[in-house]
Amino acid sequence: MRSHFCGVLSTANIDETVTICGWVDRRRDHGGVIFLDMRDRQGVVQVVFDPDTEEHFQRADRVRSEYVLKITGRVRARGEGTVNPAMATGEIEILGKELEILNSAATPPFQLDEHTAVGEEVRLRYRYMDLRRQEMQERLALRSKITSGVRQFLEAEGFLDIETPILTRATPEGARDYLVPSRTHPGQFFALPQSPQLFKQLLMVAGFDRYYQVAKCFRDEDLRADRQPEFTQIDIETSFLDEAAIMDIAERMVRELFSDVLGVELPAFPSMPYAEAMERFGSDKPDLRIDMELVSVDDLMQQVDFKVFRGPADDAEGRVAALKVPGGATISRKEIDDYTKYVSIFGAKGLAWVKVNDLAAGVEGLQSPILKFMPEDVVLQMMQRLGAVNGDIVFFGADKAGIVNESLGALRLKVAEAQGLVGEGWAPLWVVDFPMFEDDGNGGLTPLHHPFTAPSCSAEELAAQPATALSRAYDMVLNGYEIGGGSVRIHQRDMQEAVFRVLEISDEEASEKFGFLLQALQYGAPPHGGLAFGLDRLVMLMCGVSSIRDVIAFPKTQTAACLMTDAPGAVNAQQLRELNIRLRQSAAESGGQEQG
């Protein structure tokens, strides 16, 4: 129907007769001459209709925003003084000769220009309209380019694109599964995959050596700006490579993406042990653009009688840490109170602080309600250790180490954002040497990543000291976001069984849930490993937006609902009977009596 896209026309097309198709972005009537800005996914071009073409001029007079048109006309240069440098096609326009209305349009629920402020709920309810906006078109086009770049890179590296099942069985991946009832196996359920983890390992056992997949994954978990119940993963697995070689492939892929798509050359990727990241930044995904670190002051606080500090300082599992904010003495008391409420989300019982007004005056030049509880020499030693100068503020955390790390780590990000202390550019990082396990809160252990991650020690050493065992895992971090993570996998049955024993998974349970994997490990499983990138999160960062919902065509809300299709929704009684499911009604629905 068309000869050209709207946004690709230029001075090279002057005097050509072209046909375009698209939507009316704007309509203007200037003294008997009608201007239509026509839009398609490539951009916008101006079309002019004058009364000389009476029939088509009258049609142009009838059209309104978002009408779908087919227009034929001659490309010409814009008149002197009418060039629009803000438009890619701003040097030319089309003198319209023929206009066909392909479809009319109701009044849009919101204007589609970049100056319109509209709530996300409205945008998601009318997502098909929201996606017409230029910025959304550009983001999804960039996503397509990134995905294409990933495929080209991996296939050039010898990886095969292999699909794995969507209907599978539940596996321990750290979040709740989405379950699918089976009609043909009454009372039994499939699970939607949280990742293709076991299948890609089995592909290595099968000898495919290098696998990748742009895979849909599903997790029924509490949502945040960078989480969705269904998301897309760049999934990679390879045999006969150690962690250094796998990390090299992943790093080269990301470097090539940034270079080809954004024209950005990423800086070096330093490696940092997990323990160091937690000690210095309170996070296993530190944003290295922020030049602030947590500093331990436990030894100093062991010299004070103030129990709030002394207790955690003397506790082997406790920590007292300080966070110096350059120029933060201007932070108001109300802001400090807001920060105190914020850290309470992470379990902190309070937030102590010291403002540095005049360091030369000693303690008299400091401002804080806690100074009266601390010896002067300890306070001054602390200021010296922190490198504090006039105009700074110091925040303190004192509690169990995990609470201090999480609360001050989150505060570091929030204060840096508020105070304009986040540097420009890109700060990539590899975090390595993760613990194999973490406390499950009930006196047991749970995998920090997943139970198929290989430990750095022998099976005997793992059994003897599981709480201190390290894993062969690695995460790629960029500007404070984990964009990819993986590990070398367990490829020997005895080691896999040793990990299951640490997790108190009985032989019977292991056989029931993972018998197929344990059996496969007996048949010459090669050493293997891999990683997965969150495509949505990677695209979010490369687009410079703060929510992955802005880079997904049809995302869910933070309550895992689709406002456009009104999903999830009820199903009829016949469908439930076929699936052998009976719904349990709430007391309100059943008149005070629960039915099951």
Side-chain angles (χ1 to χ4, degrees), residues 24-44:
V24 177
D25 197 58
R26 292 177 63 203
R27 176 193 174 280
R28 306 180 303 285
D29 189 339
H30 289 180
V33 177
I34 295 174
F35 293 85
L36 300 178
D37 287 347
M38 289 295 296
R39 182 190 72 241
D40 60 23
R41 70 180 179 90
Q42 295 285 5
V44 178

Side-chain angles (χ1 to χ4, degrees), residues 486-546:
S487 66
V488 172
R489 322 301 187 189
I490 296 170
H491 71 283
Q492 295 170 322
R493 177 166 180 153
D494 60 344
M495 178 63 82
Q496 187 64 74
E497 290 175 331
V499 170
F500 287 158
R501 283 193 292 272
V502 169
L503 298 173
E504 299 182 348
I505 297 175
S506 68
D507 292 344
E508 293 76 14
E509 184 182 358
S511 177
E512 178 191 351
K513 292 183 176 179
F514 309 110
F516 62 96
L517 173 66
L518 294 172
Q519 186 178 55
L521 295 180
Q522 297 180 129
Y523 291 100
H528 61 280
L531 77 167
F533 286 91
L535 177 62
D536 310 302
R537 195 176 297 172
L538 180 61
V539 175
M540 177 189 80
L541 286 171
M542 295 179 75
C543 285
V545 296
S546 59

Side-chain angles (χ1 to χ4, degrees), residues 355-487:
K355 287 188 176 183
V356 184
N357 298 324
D358 182 7
L359 201 56
V363 175
E364 297 300 319
L366 305 178
Q367 176 188 350
S368 172
I370 67 170
L371 292 176
K372 59 187 176 183
F373 301 111
M374 302 172 67
E376 183 172 341
D377 63 325
V378 170
V379 174
L380 295 179
Q381 286 181 63
M382 184 168 57
M383 293 298 109
Q384 184 177 15
R385 178 177 296 183
L386 294 169
V389 299
N390 294 343
D392 293 346
I393 190 172
V394 179
F395 291 109
F396 298 89
D399 210 308
K400 295 295 184 183
I403 292 175
V404 171
N405 290 341
E406 191 171 7
S407 58
L408 285 189
L411 180 66
R412 173 179 176 268
L413 300 178
K414 193 171 186 67
V415 172
E417 184 71 30
Q419 296 295 112
L421 297 174
V422 182
E424 297 294 326
W426 301 96
L429 170 73
W430 282 108
V431 177
V432 297
D433 296 336
F434 285 86
M436 271 291 289
F437 308 106
E438 59 183 342
D439 191 337
D440 66 1
N442 298 309
L445 296 175
T446 189
L448 190 65
H449 283 84
H450 55 64
F452 317 110
T453 298
S456 299
C457 59
S458 67
E460 293 74 22
E461 291 169 326
L462 182 74
Q465 294 184 309
T468 59
L470 299 182
S471 70
R472 298 176 67 181
Y474 36 81
D475 282 359
M476 184 185 287
V477 176
L478 184 63
N479 291 6
Y481 289 90
E482 177 208 327
I483 61 170
S487 66

